[in-house]
Structure formats: C-alpha cells, structure tokens
Amino acid sequence: MPWLDLLLGITLVATAALSLTARDLFRGVIMFIVFGLLMALAWVRLQAPDIALAEAAIGAGLTGVLLLDTLGYLRRPFGSRADPTDERS
C-alpha cells in the first residue's frame, strides 16, 4: 500500500510543522504527541515493532506527559508556585 505510506509521510511532515508553528503551547504539545504516535505507526510500517513500541512509550507517552505537566505548571498564577529557596516550608 504505497498510497498509505505516502499519506503517512505527508501527515508526519504536516504534524511536525503544526507542532513547531503553533501559537498556543497546548496545541503544540498535542501535535507533538500526535507526531510521536504517527512516527510509531511509521516504524510499524517499516517492520520495526521494537522501535515503534519505544517511540510510542517514550516519544509520545512519557515526553508528552512531561510536557503537559510542565505546561500546567507554567499556567499557574505566579504567587502559587512553590519557591525552592523558601525556608518556611
């Protein structure tokens, strides 16, 4: 199915471009996660299931969760962030 491979390649490039050019950070992180899942699908199409599994788990899963957590931390009001140098805690 060469048309599927072509569609997957075009979608990968488009998703990467959308991830890099997104003005909203949340949208950029979601596009990054989608890119990682599509990349895992590309590795499956290349008959490399071990790399596909690693890409899905690390590239899309773990990295995506860490980026979403960081984004949630950045969106908190400034006064509610914990100060690591504060000796009262």
Side-chain angles (χ1 to χ4, degrees):
M1 291 191 275
W3 59 271
L4 181 63
D5 296 333
L6 181 65
L7 179 65
L8 183 60
I10 291 171
T11 308
L12 273 169
V13 171
T15 307
L18 287 172
S19 177
L20 292 173
T21 60
R23 290 193 175 264
D24 182 30
L25 288 177
F26 181 75
R27 183 173 302 204
V29 170
I30 295 300
M31 285 292 119
F32 179 80
I33 293 171
V34 170
F35 176 80
L37 292 174
L38 288 172
M39 196 66 211
L41 183 59
W43 285 117
V44 169
R45 294 286 302 150
L46 291 169
Q47 298 178 354
D50 51 342
I51 299 173
L53 185 60
E55 176 69 36
I58 298 169
L62 182 63
T63 306
V65 167
L66 288 174
L67 286 172
L68 285 173
D69 186 47
T70 302
L71 185 61
Y73 177 77
L74 289 174
R75 288 191 172 175
R76 286 189 213 158
F78 184 70
S80 68
R81 295 182 186 168
D83 185 9
T85 60
D86 190 9
E87 296 178 6
R88 292 180 286 168
S89 23

